[in-house]
Amino acid sequence: MANEVILLDFWPSMFGMRTRIALREKGVEFEYREEDLRNKSPLLLQMNPIHKKIPVLIHNGKPVNESVIQVQYIDEVWSHKNPILPSDPYQRAQARFWADFIDKKLYEAQRKVWATKGEEQEAGKKDFIEILKTLESELGDKPYFGGDDFGYVDIALIGFYTWFPAYEKFANFSTESEVPKLIAWVRKCLQRESVAKSLPDPEKVTEFVSELRKKFVPE
Amino acid sequence: MADEVILLDYWPSMFGMRTKMALAEKGVKYEYKETDPWVKTPLLIEMNPIHKKIPVLIHNGKPICESLIQLEYIDEVWSDAFPILPSDPYQKSQARFWAEFIDKKFYEPSWKVWATMGEELVAAKKELLDHFKTLETELGEKPYYGGEVFGYVDIALMGYYSWFKAMEKFGEFSIETEFPKLTTWTKRCLERESVVMALADSDRIIEYVYVMRKKFGAE
């Protein structure tokens, strides 16, 4: 039976970017479908009735929801090339920990950076930079988070990079000054075809965030 | 080399209870160290510097943090007995989805129902009942969440069982009346020694909740 893979996604979503990268790492042919989040498709609502969110991966008609769960699923189904998670259980636990850290801490903090102003934004910016520094420290001198090979944590984090110019613009700081090693890692990741093809132009993301910010922070 | 397994945990923690169940299912001998998460001991800070929370599983000196990550680790290391996760990638993704749902959605109203007052309490009650309903619907007629065999999602949810009585008391509802299928499922799970040994006494949890309510100002 031929593999039918559909991805319901929204172009600036750093979560959707993860699934796009994972599929491309494995050389999986898939159909990308852009969702209008203000007007969600019946298919989205049918395939993710609990959360009604993107990305949704539909493999031979069956949905897999949540980006980290999708990345693991892709790794397990298309296990023949480019392993995403390490094989050692302890290394796997560490990879899962850092992806969980990114979802629990980085996402909330970055939201405050573009969606608030004044004291709340300052506090958010401080938190955000501290979290980036923690990640930079975890990376250390390794080429990738998992060591020599591009993998799970790199995939979990890299999409946020497309939002960096937006954060810098609205909260007035430079990620390159704060976390130069992390930016070097970003550049290395961008050399991978799977990443370059899966990430939108950061300028377009900044335009998008500017519009979105107006809803949260009336000028 | 003999395996040295230590669990830093706190007796009322629903998260620690999951890890205890998994270790018992696998027949793993471990040393339990009661750790008050509000007292940041040097060992806790050393083993979980990022979150400084329990439970922490320490295997031959190396820490694994976050209960769901611990379940996967335990399943992968002690893979010769009682599989916790299904082997099929799609079933695995579904199991991970529901455990994630429990922690992302169910968790918050599960404590707000005893820690808040007024409008916040009303909202928490409604949300909690909605999520219980969703969980009962997902269980359906199956003996366990994964089907015929006790596993990951059962452990993830039974971790909360000791707190059900407190939720019922302060949320003013009866799980047996509202959710008969879930009730049957809890009774089935309570036939397992691994589950019974891991759980705290429900009345002791209610006493603990009274102390916590004073801290939150809900008394």
Side-chain angles (χ1 to χ4, degrees):
Chain A
M1 183 174 79
N3 262 320
E4 187 203 50
V5 181
I6 299 169
L7 180 64
L8 306 183
D9 198 357
F10 181 48
W11 68 271
S13 164
M14 58 282 268
F15 302 106
M17 288 174 216
R18 295 166 168 179
T19 312
R20 294 171 223 166
I21 294 169
L23 288 166
R24 292 190 168 109
E25 281 286 309
K26 301 291 189 169
V28 177
E29 298 276 328
F30 66 99
E31 184 193 335
Y32 179 96
R33 287 195 198 170
E34 193 68 45
E35 283 283 333
D36 176 359
L37 298 185
R38 293 158 304 178
N39 186 19
K40 293 175 181 176
S41 71
L43 185 62
L44 171 56
L45 299 176
Q46 181 200 346
M47 291 287 154
N48 192 355
I50 300 291
H51 301 300
K52 305 177 178 60
K53 286 182 172 180
I54 56 89
V56 180
L57 180 70
I58 311 172
H59 184 202
N60 294 332
K62 298 199 295 188
V64 179
N65 294 309
E66 300 295 309
S67 61
V68 289
I69 295 175
Q70 290 158 358
V71 172
Q72 290 182 84
Y73 175 79
I74 290 164
D75 199 30
E76 289 159 16
V77 171
W78 291 279
S79 50
H80 59 296
K81 71 186 252 195
N82 288 347
I84 292 173
L85 271 153
S87 48
D88 171 69
Y90 189 74
Q91 298 306 327
R92 288 159 77 86
Q94 296 316 293
R96 287 178 173 135
F97 176 86
W98 287 103
D100 180 68
F101 173 81
I102 289 162
D103 281 353
K104 275 189 175 127
K105 300 281 185 179
L106 184 65
Y107 181 69
E108 268 317 299
Q110 63 86 39
R111 211 186 160 282
K112 290 216 165 115
V113 172
W114 63 262
T116 67
K117 61 176 179 176
E119 269 179 42
E120 203 185 345
Q121 188 189 46
E122 271 308 301
K125 176 170 109 179
K126 198 168 163 290
D127 274 343
F128 177 73
I129 292 172
E130 219 182 287
I131 290 162
L132 284 187
K133 287 192 165 155
T134 301
L135 288 164
E136 185 177 66
S137 168
E138 174 55 26
L139 177 67
D141 292 315
K142 307 193 297 287
Y144 298 105
F145 277 89
D148 288 326
D149 296 313
F150 179 79
Y152 191 67
V153 183
D154 308 291
I155 292 175
L157 183 56
I158 190 65
F160 284 86
Y161 154 73
T162 59
W163 288 61
F164 283 6
Y167 307 149
E168 292 171 352
K169 175 177 173 156
F170 296 115
N172 195 27
F173 68 100
S174 153
T175 47
E176 181 128 30
S177 314
E178 300 284 352
V179 284
K181 277 187 173 171
L182 202 61
I183 299 300
W185 161 84
V186 167
R187 295 209 176 96
K188 191 182 289 115
C189 290
L190 289 172
Q191 285 168 22
R192 286 181 93 78
E193 204 183 331
S194 65
V195 175
K197 278 195 160 153
S198 302
L199 263 41
D201 178 1
E203 258 182 57
K204 291 213 161 77
V205 175
T206 303
E207 272 169 41
F208 166 77
V209 178
S210 296
E211 279 308 304
L212 201 57
R213 183 176 159 81
K214 286 177 189 159
K215 286 188 193 163
F216 294 91
V217 185
E219 294 297 339
Chain B
M1 182 176 81
D3 262 335
E4 187 202 51
V5 182
I6 299 170
L7 180 65
L8 306 184
D9 189 13
Y10 186 43
W11 71 269
S13 166
M14 59 282 273
F15 304 110
M17 289 181 215
R18 295 164 164 178
T19 311
K20 286 192 276 187
M21 282 178 210
L23 289 166
E25 283 286 319
K26 299 287 193 175
V28 176
K29 295 220 171 351
Y30 65 98
E31 184 192 341
Y32 180 92
K33 283 196 179 167
E34 190 67 42
T35 306
D36 183 338
W38 282 278
V39 177
K40 310 288 179 193
T41 61
L43 183 60
L44 179 60
I45 295 174
E46 183 196 341
M47 291 291 154
N48 192 355
I50 300 291
H51 301 302
K52 303 178 184 63
K53 285 182 176 179
I54 54 85
V56 182
L57 183 68
I58 311 171
H59 187 201
N60 295 331
K62 300 199 294 191
I64 299 104
C65 302
E66 299 299 309
S67 63
L68 294 180
I69 295 177
Q70 291 160 0
L71 294 190
E72 298 228 26
Y73 177 80
I74 290 164
D75 203 29
E76 287 165 15
V77 171
W78 291 279
S79 53
D80 48 327
F82 294 108
I84 291 172
L85 274 150
S87 50
D88 171 69
Y90 189 74
Q91 297 307 326
K92 228 186 256 203
S93 75
Q94 298 312 291
R96 287 174 176 146
F97 174 86
W98 285 104
E100 192 69 15
F101 171 83
I102 290 164
D103 283 354
K104 264 194 189 142
K105 295 282 188 178
F106 180 80
Y107 172 63
E108 203 176 288
S110 82
W111 64 261
K112 281 193 166 166
V113 87
W114 55 258
T116 63
M117 300 183 291
E119 271 179 40
E120 225 186 326
L121 172 59
V122 171
K125 270 183 186 174
K126 185 180 179 303
E127 228 194 302
L128 183 63
L129 289 172
D130 277 346
H131 295 326
F132 262 119
K133 186 107 205 4
T134 301
L135 287 165
E136 179 159 89
T137 304
E138 175 55 25
L139 178 66
E141 302 303 324
K142 306 192 300 285
Y144 299 105
Y145 275 91
E148 297 301 312
V149 178
F150 179 80
Y152 190 70
V153 182
D154 307 291
I155 294 175
L157 186 54
M158 276 308 280
Y160 285 84
Y161 178 79
S162 306
W163 290 76
F164 281 2
K165 205 171 177 186
M167 290 179 213
E168 288 175 298
K169 183 186 170 83
F170 294 102
E172 290 170 324
F173 65 98
S174 152
I175 294 174
E176 182 136 28
T177 309
E178 307 270 353
F179 312 109
K181 287 181 182 168
L182 263 180
T183 303
T184 307
W185 165 82
T186 61
K187 291 190 173 128
R188 188 175 293 118
C189 292
L190 289 169
E191 286 167 8
R192 298 180 89 82
E193 204 184 329
S194 66
V195 172
V196 170
M197 296 304 286
L199 293 172
D201 177 64
S202 296
D203 292 320
R204 200 179 164 205
I205 293 282
I206 290 178
E207 276 169 36
Y208 177 77
V209 164
Y210 273 118
V211 173
M212 293 303 290
R213 276 167 66 82
K214 289 204 174 89
K215 278 195 190 170
F216 279 102
E219 282 288 333

